[in-house]
């Protein structure tokens, strides 16, 4: 992944996640959140926060439980709730984009650029 | 304070099991974030998140926290609008999400619920018994019953029509900050008279104990009728509410309004034709169908007092749903279009119009950001005005967001003081402590500090909320 492409994805993610009000209306519909017995970092809201704080440097990719991002099943239920009751974010797409950002750094087999 | 996260984690794991303790930073950050528009800072990030399943585990956690002098911040769903939910200091976050049991006892006239249930889940369960939950937060999809009762918020409901959550609480199981488990109240539908502890925990905002079981009276589901009224200007709605109280007319259970600007945003959001001016919407309740119809007819007649453009009873449930949704959507869409900085103004009812006009002037003349726009809506029958400063961009710094939030808070709180109110929806600590001190003076604030110290000598629970958050 080129640095420029990485930068573009980071900017898109920060802009979109910046719209989230942290209302948490999306958490209950997430099957992974339910299966995890309601742990918030396994919810759509939680994944967006992890991505935001990864990008702004508060967290780093080696922190345990960044893998919460990978618990998203891409079912899209959160998107519907956010569209109806929240800020109309395509939450699952943002998470997918965030996973891509992370995994590209990892598969290259070298130290990832700071996410 | 030098705290070893791993050590804290191991100790907590002995109490609740290792799968219910998190000491990693991603989890801690997620739990520290709330609805405040600026980011979590290093000082807010907890050492650990612990997820107990019962009062005995909470008791052990609090005893350990007292032994090690580590603060504990209670987490329901983090939906507070005045910063109650964000930890003010490094701490253990105590998440109540695993406590979701509910037992309905029609033969006893009450139900018992654990604190981690979301309001919408409780409503669903009670509906099976034809009962109503008298809690109406706009965030019912996420807000917990524990948090709602801990703030004693009447939220969107009109207090004079039904009461506050505390009016329906029969008793609690509470874990005190030092770890003792106590029972309060009664198992009868007859609430105790005299000095009984339940009332001290209702609205205590998690400062005096952790509510681990709530016992609430069952309320039969009423019949509803709905009215929508269109006005040229918001002032006509304010006149109507003032007149309603003056004439001693029993208020609707919900009495909402959208000002001239909010009504356009809300109606457009739900696909309705743009209204000319402001809109009021009312939900009238009664425990008989005929009673609800009669009350609605009478209220409709009364509404002519301020010459609405049109006022009518809405009988089509789909149409009502669309009109009613416009109120919630106005708030959502405002936020989609930019940033909003809110307030909660609940003046003495005969001063409603004065307070509204001054709120408008405050929003239009803020110092932290020039050219803010004024938009308002709220539970006007209560009365509550939510006056918002709106800016049409999200591209502002954390510092400006914080400054705008605090300037709006301070200036609109002065209206509450000037006009004799104190809100009734968002709680009184965290960001609202300066108001609390200003309105009720030092003596009253010191009583609260003494109460806190009596029950929580090491200031373990929700540390920082009573000290205020700036």
């Amino acid at each position: 992944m080129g640095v420029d492409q990485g930068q573009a994805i980071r900017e898109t993610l920060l802009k979109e996640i910046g719209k989230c009000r942290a209302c948490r209306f999306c958490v209950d519909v997430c099957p992974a959140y339910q299966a995890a017995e309601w742990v918030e970092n396994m919810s759509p809201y939680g994944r967006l926060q992890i991505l935001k704080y990864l990008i702004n440097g508060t967290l780093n990719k080696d922190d345990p439980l960044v893998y919460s991002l990978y618990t998203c099943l891409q079912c899209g239920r959160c998107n519907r709730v956010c569209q109806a009751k929240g800020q109309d974010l395509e939450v699952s797409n943002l998470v997918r984009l965030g996973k891509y950002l992370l995994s590209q750094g990892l598969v290259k087999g070298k130290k990832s650029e700071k996410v | 304070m030098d705290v070893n996260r791993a050590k804290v984690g191991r100790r907590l794991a002995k109490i609740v099991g290792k799968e219910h303790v998190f000491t990693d930073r991603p989890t801690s950050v997620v739990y520290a974030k709330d609805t405040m528009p600026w980011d979590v800072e290093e000082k807010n990030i907890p050492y650990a998140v612990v997820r107990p399943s019962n009062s005995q585990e909470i008791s052990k956690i609090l005893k350990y926290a007292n032994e090690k002098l580590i603060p504990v911040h209670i987490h329901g769903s983090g939906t507070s609008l005045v910063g109650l939910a964000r930890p003010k200091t490094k701490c253990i976050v105590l998440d109540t999400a695993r406590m979701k049991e509910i037992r309905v006892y029609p033969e006893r006239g009450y139900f018992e619920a654990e604190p981690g249930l979301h309001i919408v889940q409780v409503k669903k369960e009670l509906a099976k018994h034809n009962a109503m939950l008298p809690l109406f937060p706009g965030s019912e999809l996420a807000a917990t019953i524990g948090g709602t009762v801990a703030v004693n918020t009447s939220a969107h409901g009109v207090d004079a029509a039904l009461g506050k959550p505390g009016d329906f609480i029969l008793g609690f199981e509470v874990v005190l900050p030092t770890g003792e488990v106590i029972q309060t109240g009664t198992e009868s539908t007859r609430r105790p008279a005299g000095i009984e502890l339940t009332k001290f925990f209702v609205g205590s905002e998690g400062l005096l104990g952790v509510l681990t079981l709530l016992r609430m009276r069952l309320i039969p589901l009423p019949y509803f009728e709905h009215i929508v009224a269109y006005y040229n200007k918001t002032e006509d709605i304010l006149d109507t509410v003032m007149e309603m109280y003056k004439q001693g007319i029993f208020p609707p259970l919900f009495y909402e309004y959208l000002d001239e600007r909010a009504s356009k945003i809300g109606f457009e959001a739900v696909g309705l034709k743009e209204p000319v001016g402001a809109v009021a919407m009312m939900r009238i309740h009664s425990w008989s169908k005929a009673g609800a119809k009669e009350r609605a007819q009478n209220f409709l007649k009364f509404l002519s007092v301020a010459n609405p453009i049109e006022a009518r009873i809405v009988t089509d449930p789909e149409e009502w749903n669309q009109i009613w949704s416009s109120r919630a959507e106005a708030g959502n869409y405002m936020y989609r279009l930019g940033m909003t900085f809110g307030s909660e103004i609940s003046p003495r009812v005969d001063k409603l119009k004065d307070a509204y006009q001054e709120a408008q002037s405050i929003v239009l003349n803020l110092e932290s950001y020039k050219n803010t726009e004024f938009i308002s809506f709220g539970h006007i029958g209560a009365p509550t005005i939510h006056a918002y400063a709106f800016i049409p961009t999200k591209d502002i710094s954390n510092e400006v967001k914080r400054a705008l939030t605090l300037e709006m808070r301070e200036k609109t709180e002065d209206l509450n003081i000037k006009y004799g109110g104190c809100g009734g929806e968002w709680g009184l600590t965290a960001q609202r402590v300066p108001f609390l001190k200003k309105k009720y003076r030092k003596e009253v604030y010191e009583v609260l500090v003494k109460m806190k110290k009596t029950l929580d000598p090491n200031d373990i629970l929700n540390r920082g909320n009573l000290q205020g958050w700036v």
Side-chain angles (χ1 to χ4, degrees), chain B residues 65 71 93 95 115 120 143 161 168 178 203 216 244 253 280 297 301 318 332 345 364 372 380 406 412 453:
Chain B
V93 163
D95 176 25
V120 76
F168 303 93
T178 39
M216 269 184 110
M244 175 182 79
L253 178 58
Q297 288 292 353
K301 273 185 213 154
E318 215 165 284
N332 282 343
I345 305 161
L364 296 175
T372 46
I380 201 65
L406 296 177
T412 54
K453 202 166 175 121

Side-chain angles (χ1 to χ4, degrees), chain B residues 233-416:
Chain B
K233 54 188 193 303
T234 305
E235 276 82 353
D236 298 339
I237 299 174
L238 307 179
D239 281 335
T240 310
V241 172
M242 290 161 76
E243 197 58 26
M244 175 182 79
Y245 280 99
K246 195 172 163 189
Q247 289 188 26
I249 291 171
F250 192 73
L253 178 58
F254 296 113
Y255 193 158
E256 298 285 315
Y257 86 105
L258 295 165
D259 77 0
E260 293 84 338
R261 182 86 195 280
S263 65
K264 289 180 176 52
I265 298 171
F267 271 51
E268 190 189 331
V270 298
L272 285 170
K273 194 182 145 206
E274 194 175 278
V276 173
V279 179
M281 42 196 92
M282 290 137 264
R283 177 171 247 205
I284 309 266
H285 75 295
S286 174
W287 277 274
S288 77
K289 207 170 183 174
K293 279 189 188 305
E294 189 188 345
R295 282 196 61 212
Q297 288 292 353
N298 289 340
F299 206 82
L300 188 65
K301 273 185 213 154
F302 160 70
L303 286 177
S304 63
V305 73
N307 299 315
I309 299 168
E310 185 198 1
R312 63 188 169 88
I313 294 171
V314 181
T315 49
D316 177 5
E318 215 165 284
E319 186 192 3
W320 173 251
N321 192 34
Q322 215 174 358
I323 293 170
W324 186 243
S325 303
S326 71
R327 159 60 189 83
E329 291 307 327
N332 282 343
Y333 273 72
M334 270 162 57
Y335 201 84
R336 287 184 191 186
L337 299 169
M339 295 284 304
T340 53
F341 298 85
S343 63
E344 180 194 14
I345 305 161
S346 295
R348 209 175 73 190
V349 73
D350 60 326
K351 296 292 183 189
L352 191 54
K353 212 161 156 181
D354 295 336
Y356 177 79
Q357 284 160 353
E358 285 183 43
Q360 198 164 11
S361 164
I362 286 170
V363 169
L364 296 175
N365 295 288
L366 290 170
E367 286 163 20
S368 333
Y369 195 95
K370 296 296 167 198
N371 301 322
T372 46
E373 295 172 44
F374 173 81
I375 304 182
S376 78
F377 51 77
H379 331 299
I380 201 65
T384 289
I385 300 163
H386 289 312
Y388 278 89
F390 172 76
I391 54 176
T393 175
K394 288 193 187 293
D395 194 19
I396 55 171
S397 68
N398 278 331
E399 288 68 35
V400 175
K401 286 176 189 169
R402 190 194 298 255
L404 255 170
T405 303
L406 296 177
E407 187 184 356
M408 266 297 280
R409 180 142 315 289
E410 191 185 340
K411 290 185 172 169
T412 54
E413 297 289 32
D414 283 346
L415 286 184
N416 275 324

Side-chain angles (χ1 to χ4, degrees), chain A residues 19 21-22 24-25 28 37-41 45 49 52-53 58 64-65 82-88, chain B residues 20 22 24-27 29-31 33-34 39-40 51 75 77-78 97 100 118 121 329 332 335-336:
Chain A
K19 295 175 185 172
R21 292 180 87 178
R24 291 169 162 96
F25 288 1
D28 258 353
E37 277 201 306
W38 319 291
V39 180
E40 285 187 6
N41 55 325
Y45 150 79
Q49 296 305 319
K52 178 171 81 177
Y53 288 102
T58 304
L65 287 200
C82 199
Q83 185 182 41
K85 304 273 182 189
Q87 297 303 303
D88 199 13
Chain B
H20 302 304
F22 297 87
D24 62 286
R25 278 170 63 87
T27 305
V29 165
V30 167
Y31 277 83
K33 179 75 176 80
D34 63 349
D39 288 340
V40 168
R51 310 177 70 245
H75 181 89
S77 282
K100 288 192 193 294
H118 294 178
Q121 295 165 332
E329 291 307 327
N332 282 343
Y335 201 84
R336 287 184 191 186

Side-chain angles (χ1 to χ4, degrees), chain A residues 19-92:
Chain A
K19 295 175 185 172
C20 171
R21 292 180 87 178
C23 69
R24 291 169 162 96
F25 288 1
C26 57
V27 299
D28 258 353
V29 298
C30 174
Y33 169 77
Q34 299 287 350
E37 277 201 306
W38 319 291
V39 180
E40 285 187 6
N41 55 325
M42 311 281 184
S43 73
Y45 150 79
R47 294 181 197 106
L48 290 190
Q49 296 305 319
I50 288 174
L51 266 177
K52 178 171 81 177
Y53 288 102
L54 269 172
I55 294 168
N56 76 15
T58 304
L59 302 174
N60 71 66
K61 69 172 186 64
D62 297 324
D63 279 324
L65 287 200
V66 163
Y67 78 78
S68 304
L69 293 177
Y70 293 89
T71 61
C72 173
L73 303 173
Q74 292 289 312
C75 69
R77 291 181 187 185
C78 48
N79 302 340
R80 300 290 79 79
V81 174
C82 199
Q83 185 182 41
K85 304 273 182 189
Q87 297 303 303
D88 199 13
L89 294 175
E90 289 288 334
V91 184
S92 60

